[in-house]
Amino acid sequence: MQTYTSKQELINEINKQGDLFIDEFKEIKDKDLLIDGVDRSPAQMISYQLGWMNLILKWEADEQKGIKVITPSPNYKWNNLGGLYQDFYKQYENNTLEELIALFLETKDKIIMLINSYSDLEFFDSGYRNWASSTPSNWPVWKWIHINTVAPFKSFQSKIRKWKKLNSR
């Protein structure tokens, strides 16, 4: 897994990979079209990203309010993420592609503001956020943010490119 030596390094990668990912959607005509060989529609791909980024923001906001955070969410366990993804899709199903793109960019900016709000200790060391320590892995915050931003931004770039290629046939 990629590592970072500074918060700015992760922010730069989030901006780079997020922009590369979302730029792939500029000329999509049918956001809801499922194509054999690709497991999500374009709208579902963006909804997935929005869902995870918003979960991180919610976990942090809830912890700051003194609310006990249950990861990934009170209704889902880590071995039932398919149901969580369906909730993400449903939450954003009525948004246009333009709205989804705008929401993605707005949420990406909120993640960056969150990163900037952490001290280096809170960000890079384990144990400073209960939500980040809620699984046996006890990951530091940076790792949670990486696996829910940069990593899927990269993997979904390949998915949307494959979707576009198969849709052009």
Side-chain angles (χ1 to χ4, degrees):
M1 175 186 292
Q2 186 170 348
T3 60
Y4 303 93
T5 58
S6 71
K7 293 186 292 184
Q8 190 59 51
E9 192 176 345
L10 176 56
I11 289 167
N12 292 345
E13 196 65 14
I14 288 170
N15 277 321
K16 176 184 170 188
Q17 296 304 328
D19 291 348
L20 288 170
F21 166 72
I22 208 65
D23 285 348
E24 293 289 341
F25 294 86
K26 287 184 177 170
E27 298 180 21
I28 301 283
K29 301 281 188 264
D30 187 350
K31 70 176 181 74
D32 297 312
L33 181 64
L34 286 166
I35 293 179
D36 286 340
V38 182
D39 62 349
R40 291 176 176 91
S41 71
Q44 289 173 332
M45 292 180 206
I46 299 174
S47 297
Y48 176 96
Q49 309 300 328
L50 286 168
W52 279 111
M53 287 191 292
N54 280 305
L55 272 180
I56 289 172
L57 294 168
K58 182 176 177 1
W59 296 338
E60 181 65 25
D62 285 352
E63 183 161 326
Q64 293 303 315
K65 294 175 195 166
I67 299 170
K68 181 176 174 23
V69 176
I70 299 170
T71 60
S73 87
N75 298 324
Y76 296 101
K77 297 194 181 305
W78 289 109
N79 63 357
N80 184 23
L81 294 178
L84 181 62
Y85 302 158
Q86 293 302 315
D87 282 355
F88 293 164
Y89 307 154
K90 186 164 183 53
Q91 180 178 355
Y92 298 103
E93 69 186 355
N94 294 321
N95 291 93
T96 66
L97 187 58
E98 293 75 20
E99 291 168 337
L100 289 171
I101 290 168
L103 285 169
F104 175 87
L105 294 170
E106 178 183 316
T107 308
K108 179 177 66 96
D109 288 344
K110 288 178 183 177
I111 290 289
I112 290 167
M113 288 189 304
L114 177 64
I115 292 168
N116 281 322
S117 75
Y118 293 119
S119 71
D120 283 346
L121 274 176
E122 292 168 326
F123 193 67
F124 287 108
D125 291 354
S126 298
Y128 285 91
R129 287 298 186 272
N130 290 329
W131 64 260
S133 303
S134 65
T135 64
S137 61
N138 193 29
W139 287 341
V141 169
W142 76 264
K143 198 170 201 177
W144 282 95
I145 292 175
H146 169 83
I147 65 159
N148 289 296
T149 59
V150 174
F153 295 170
K154 286 180 179 180
S155 64
F156 277 78
Q157 285 175 49
S158 299
K159 284 183 188 274
I160 190 60
R161 287 181 190 136
K162 182 177 181 182
W163 183 95
K164 291 191 311 189
K165 181 179 178 182
L166 292 171
N167 190 36
S168 68
R169 290 184 179 173

